[in-house]
Amino acid sequence: MGIVNFRKHRELVRDFFANAKEMLLPGGQVHVRHKLGQPYDEWKLEELALSTGLKLVGRVRFQHHEFPGYQSCRGDGF
């Protein structure tokens, strides 16, 4: 992923967090699926969330079988 795509993805996620925060009821949560390790750790999702007033309350391992029909895809269309 090029540096421009990286920045665009971070901006998209930050904007998502900011908009989601405006829609949450008190005590509401935003759940995000995100890979761990390089280069994904460079997205710094927790930092993006904090910049919008959200905070990380926990992490759980994603279980594909709990989401029938879920398909992962890359942000560049693949």
Side-chain angles (χ1 to χ4, degrees), residues 9-24:
H9 281 100
R10 275 184 47 94
E11 182 178 327
L12 175 68
V13 173
R14 186 191 64 240
D15 290 349
F16 167 75
F17 285 148
N19 283 297
K21 183 177 185 279
E22 296 301 316
M23 295 184 201
L24 290 175

Side-chain angles (χ1 to χ4, degrees), residues 1-13:
M1 175 184 304
I3 192 72
V4 172
N5 279 342
F6 174 80
R7 287 185 187 143
K8 286 182 179 181
H9 281 100
R10 275 184 47 94
E11 182 178 327
L12 175 68
V13 173

